[in-house]
Amino acid sequence: MAAGYVLTPELAQEIACDIGRITGFNVLITDREAVVIGCGDTDRLGTVHEASYEVLRDRRPATHTAEQARRMRGVLSGMSLPITVGAEAVGTVCLTGDPDEVRRFGLVVQRQTEILLEEAALLRSRLLHERAVDDCVRDIALYDPEVVDAETVEARMAELGADPRLPRTAVVLDVRAGGVSRMSLLRTVREVFGSAQDVTGELAAGRYAVLHASTGGPARLVERCSALVERLGERHGAEARAGIGEPGRGVAGLHDSYRDAALALRAGPRLEPDGRVFAVADLRVPQLVASAVRQERARYAAAVLSGLREREDWPVLRETLIAWAEGGFQLVRTAERLAVHRNTLLYRLTKIEELSGREVREPRTAMAMYLACLADAL
């Protein structure tokens, strides 16, 4: 059979029922052995349609009157036509009824059957391609040089049309969109990441990854991810977030980029709950803190933040300490970052000093408290 064209019983039954509803005739479809695999009359499934032997052999339509049909096994009056792919007959489609009446519809039904078969083959090919892309993306996300050879993964990328030598940046998407199909979401993602060298696949339900052929710089990529998150919300009502890694080259480099993007997506919302796009380049210090053993992080945070973490307003105080360090210990920049008045910031800093007994306006102490706040948040 021509590559990709598979006339399965499930497909044949679907086509027979669809065309039967449209034309009003009983439609029968056989395989290349003249065995009925699709029919509106399910009692005929699995029987032999003897008139199809000649049609399959000659690849030409044939009509059969009621008298002729009685002399053949499993045949009623009507018309039988070959289903051809290229020069090959892969089955027949048969219309039951008066030969003079069904002849007027025969060629239309034949062509419609072939079109449906072609569409099914195209869909099957597309689904196989999508599955291969998903597998490739997962191979990179889960890459272990002790288990998988990098050259094997690079060969798969090349088969998909992606040059494995190009530097790429991993973008990991967390998309919550109830009732929206996977293909619909992927179509939207590929509108934004539409380069022929961008590789986009599904990691798990609601989790997608883009291996973006790096162009335009980090700021441009953040803008693109922000536009994608907004479009997913507008078009699908989806709540989406994106994590961005650093550029990487080769399978090992892409795996590191993926891990960075996944870390950004995991740590970013904890430090910035209202954020939607998180670049690992902005989270290197939290990444370093997160790499410490959990118990040690907890001990460090408890020791440095004594007198603060037990308070109901601790989330506000923690936000203030983080902004104070990331604002360069400057009152104006920190107040702008927090969207509060300078006097409000001074009040908070004084309160923190009184409660903790630490000089928060001394840079070394402030940095220690900053790292402890990150450990607490993570």
Side-chain angles (χ1 to χ4, degrees):
M1 186 177 293
Y5 293 88
V6 181
L7 186 56
T8 64
E10 294 78 13
L11 177 60
Q13 184 67 12
E14 182 179 347
I15 292 174
C17 290
D18 285 347
I19 294 179
R21 279 193 296 267
I22 294 170
T23 62
F25 293 108
N26 183 45
V27 177
L28 175 150
I29 293 178
T30 78
D31 62 13
R32 61 173 62 211
E33 304 299 328
V35 175
V36 179
I37 57 174
C39 186
D41 179 3
T42 55
D43 289 339
R44 301 182 71 181
L45 295 175
T47 64
V48 173
H49 189 260
E50 190 173 348
S52 292
Y53 284 129
E54 181 181 350
V55 174
L56 287 163
R57 185 187 66 235
D58 298 337
R59 297 195 298 277
R60 295 175 59 184
T63 57
H64 19 84
T65 65
E67 183 179 346
Q68 292 171 326
R70 280 194 292 271
R71 294 197 293 269
M72 292 184 284
R73 185 172 37 152
V75 180
L76 299 174
S77 62
M79 184 176 190
S80 301
L81 304 100
I83 304 171
T84 58
V85 177
E88 184 179 2
V90 299
T92 65
V93 57
C94 311
L95 297 174
T96 301
D98 181 85
D100 292 332
E101 186 176 356
V102 298
R103 186 182 288 110
R104 293 182 296 134
F105 298 93
L107 294 178
V108 174
V109 169
Q110 177 192 36
R111 183 56 190 144
Q112 185 62 33
T113 303
E114 291 170 350
I115 289 173
L116 291 173
L117 180 59
E118 290 166 4
E119 288 179 348
L122 181 62
L123 177 60
R124 180 172 178 271
S125 174
R126 189 176 300 156
L127 290 174
L128 289 173
H129 176 80
E130 288 293 339
R131 188 180 303 168
V133 172
D134 290 346
D135 289 343
C136 181
V137 170
R138 293 185 190 119
D139 284 344
I140 290 169
L142 304 174
Y143 174 68
D144 182 348
E146 298 297 325
V147 177
V148 180
D149 181 36
E151 292 184 358
T152 301
V153 181
E154 290 176 353
R156 290 178 185 170
M157 291 183 67
E159 289 173 357
L160 295 171
D163 187 344
R165 299 167 297 178
L166 292 179
R168 288 180 171 81
T169 302
V171 175
V172 178
L173 295 162
D174 184 13
V175 183
R176 299 179 184 179
V180 181
S181 72
R182 167 188 179 278
M183 289 305 300
S184 182
L185 291 172
L186 279 174
R187 192 177 302 114
T188 299
V189 174
R190 287 168 179 159
E191 287 177 7
V192 177
F193 291 96
S195 167
Q197 289 301 321
D198 289 341
V199 181
T200 303
E202 184 181 50
L203 296 166
R207 189 88 164 183
Y208 303 87
V210 180
L211 304 177
H212 172 55
S214 303
T215 56
R220 177 72 184 101
L221 183 52
V222 170
E223 291 176 4
R224 186 175 293 201
C225 289
S226 298
L228 173 58
V229 166
E230 185 176 347
R231 188 174 301 185
L232 287 168
E234 292 175 350
R235 184 174 296 176
H236 306 292
E239 181 182 340
R241 284 175 168 162
I244 304 173
E246 299 271 21
R249 190 188 297 268
V251 175
L254 289 177
H255 175 66
D256 289 341
S257 182
Y258 165 79
R259 289 182 59 198
D260 284 345
L263 173 98
L265 191 56
R266 185 168 63 252
R270 298 181 184 178
L271 301 173
E272 189 183 346
D274 295 331
R276 287 293 176 265
V277 177
F278 309 94
V280 76
D282 301 326
L283 296 167
R284 284 306 187 189
V285 174
Q287 180 186 31
L288 185 62
V289 173
S291 67
V293 178
R294 180 186 295 272
Q295 292 86 344
E296 293 302 319
R297 292 203 313 262
R299 287 184 60 214
Y300 176 73
V304 175
L305 301 173
S306 177
L308 297 172
R309 299 170 75 203
E310 300 81 13
R311 295 182 56 85
E312 289 186 6
D313 61 350
W314 166 235
V316 174
L317 300 180
R318 184 177 65 188
E319 181 186 31
T320 302
L321 284 168
I322 291 175
W324 177 238
E326 294 181 352
F329 313 115
Q330 296 181 21
L331 289 172
V332 174
R333 287 177 59 185
T334 304
E336 290 177 350
R337 186 184 184 94
L338 292 170
V340 299
H341 192 275
R342 181 174 178 271
N343 290 341
T344 302
L345 174 60
L346 284 169
Y347 169 77
R348 290 186 189 177
L349 293 175
T350 301
K351 183 178 182 179
I352 290 170
E353 290 179 338
E354 292 174 351
L355 292 170
S356 66
R358 296 176 181 272
E359 293 291 333
V360 74
R361 276 167 273 202
E362 196 278 313
R364 179 176 292 183
T365 301
M367 283 302 302
M369 297 183 78
Y370 168 64
L371 295 174
C373 286
L374 295 180
D376 179 76
L378 294 171

